[in-house]
Amino acid sequence: MSLLGEENIMKNHIFASEIITSRTNSTIVKISKLSNKKYRQEQKLFICDGVKLVKEAIDFSLDIQYIIIREDFELDGELEKDILAYQKNGTSILVVAPYVYEKISEESAPQGIMAVCSFISKKHKSLSVAEKSYNGEKIVMIESVRDPGNIGTILRNACAFGIDRLVFSKDCADFYSQKTETSRHFVVFFVQTNITALFLASKRQKQGICAGLSAFCVHLCCFRTTDKQCPF
């Protein structure tokens, strides 16, 4: 190991809340299970992996439960200062061995730092369409899009076009998954989203969703519905 690598290890160990060298550590096992959508939703936690996403989670003042640092990772001064500030407010700083970090990261070439954050409840809510009035908002409704990369692309484009709200059906890919994060970057931190039941399933649902709304584009599946009418 290089001298710089040894210096990074010594430096990171100094301010660690806990140093973990076992892949079977209970906290590591819990974090590794966040790759599962059902477990993420039960715990209401998700992972931001990499320098950019960690910095953005800090910039948006997310509730960060853990910051995990690979022991040989080199922290820059500003990021170190921000992490120490979070630590003072109760965030646990876990410094882990490289083989431990590999267990919890889904990246093919992980940078060596991640944050475990609480769901952003102020921005992302599950609700029935009837619970929310969408009048005056620019909305994109997404149904049954199961590829995380496509969800990430939709999130980025919605942000670029000034969309106010995204409404996902429950069977869409999870925008809290790490695969989606690779595509969406920080967009999920501030785009309003709702999750609801399948909203093209019945004529009653179509009428409920579309009341008071006007549409400027629709999915081609609109013209394959049994009643031959576009739900918008």
Side-chain angles (χ1 to χ4, degrees):
M1 181 180 295
S2 67
L3 180 60
L4 178 59
E6 291 178 355
E7 290 178 352
N8 289 338
I9 291 174
M10 293 177 62
K11 180 180 178 181
N12 292 339
H13 281 195
I14 289 173
F15 65 84
S17 304
E18 184 178 356
I19 299 171
I20 299 176
T21 58
S22 171
R23 291 163 61 95
T24 59
N25 174 277
S26 60
T27 303
I28 295 301
V29 171
K30 173 184 174 181
I31 293 171
S32 67
K33 289 169 67 175
L34 292 174
S35 61
N36 179 272
K37 179 180 179 180
K38 183 179 180 180
Y39 188 76
R40 277 196 304 275
Q41 292 175 338
E42 288 174 352
Q43 300 298 314
K44 298 191 182 302
L45 297 172
F46 71 104
I47 291 175
C48 293
D49 195 350
V51 175
K52 181 176 176 63
L53 281 173
V54 171
K55 285 184 175 180
E56 287 164 350
I58 291 172
D59 289 343
F60 282 92
S61 300
L62 298 193
D63 178 19
I64 300 177
Q65 301 295 311
Y66 302 100
I67 295 175
I68 302 98
I69 304 170
R70 194 179 60 210
E71 63 180 4
D72 60 347
F73 177 75
E74 183 178 4
L75 282 169
D76 64 49
E78 182 178 353
L79 183 55
E80 180 181 350
K81 181 179 178 181
D82 290 336
I83 289 174
L84 289 173
Y86 260 90
Q87 186 181 40
K88 289 180 180 179
N89 289 324
T91 298
S92 294
I93 311 300
L94 309 181
V95 175
V96 304
Y99 52 86
V100 176
Y101 195 92
E102 290 174 1
K103 177 180 175 67
I104 56 179
S105 176
E106 295 184 40
E107 297 294 324
S108 57
Q111 293 179 318
I113 187 169
M114 68 171 64
V116 177
C117 307
S118 300
F119 277 12
I120 314 169
S121 58
K122 291 182 180 180
K123 291 289 184 182
H124 313 303
K125 299 179 181 179
S126 297
L127 78 171
S128 69
V129 174
E131 293 177 43
K132 170 68 183 174
S133 173
Y134 298 106
N135 291 342
E137 293 185 354
K138 290 180 288 185
I139 309 160
V140 172
M141 294 181 172
I142 304 103
E143 183 175 38
S144 303
V145 178
R146 297 181 176 88
D147 184 270
N150 289 342
I151 292 293
T153 300
I154 291 169
L155 284 161
R156 289 201 322 275
N157 288 335
C159 179
F161 284 98
I163 299 299
D164 298 305
R165 186 177 302 272
L166 299 172
V167 180
F168 292 92
S169 62
K170 286 184 177 180
D171 62 341
C172 282
D174 183 9
F175 49 76
Y176 281 122
S177 76
Q178 291 188 60
K179 291 180 180 178
T180 304
E181 286 174 3
T182 302
S183 301
R184 61 145 169 91
H185 294 296
F186 64 93
V187 174
V188 77
F189 295 159
F190 60 88
V191 173
Q192 295 278 351
T193 64
N194 298 137
I195 303 174
T196 186
L198 290 174
F199 41 75
L200 300 185
S202 69
K203 188 171 183 179
R204 179 180 176 185
Q205 284 180 312
K206 295 172 192 176
Q207 292 172 340
I209 288 172
C210 301
L213 300 181
S214 60
F216 54 88
C217 67
V218 295
H219 192 283
L220 290 177
C221 72
C222 295
F223 301 101
R224 295 198 295 269
T225 55
T226 54
D227 57 10
K228 304 298 181 182
Q229 293 180 358
C230 173
F232 295 93

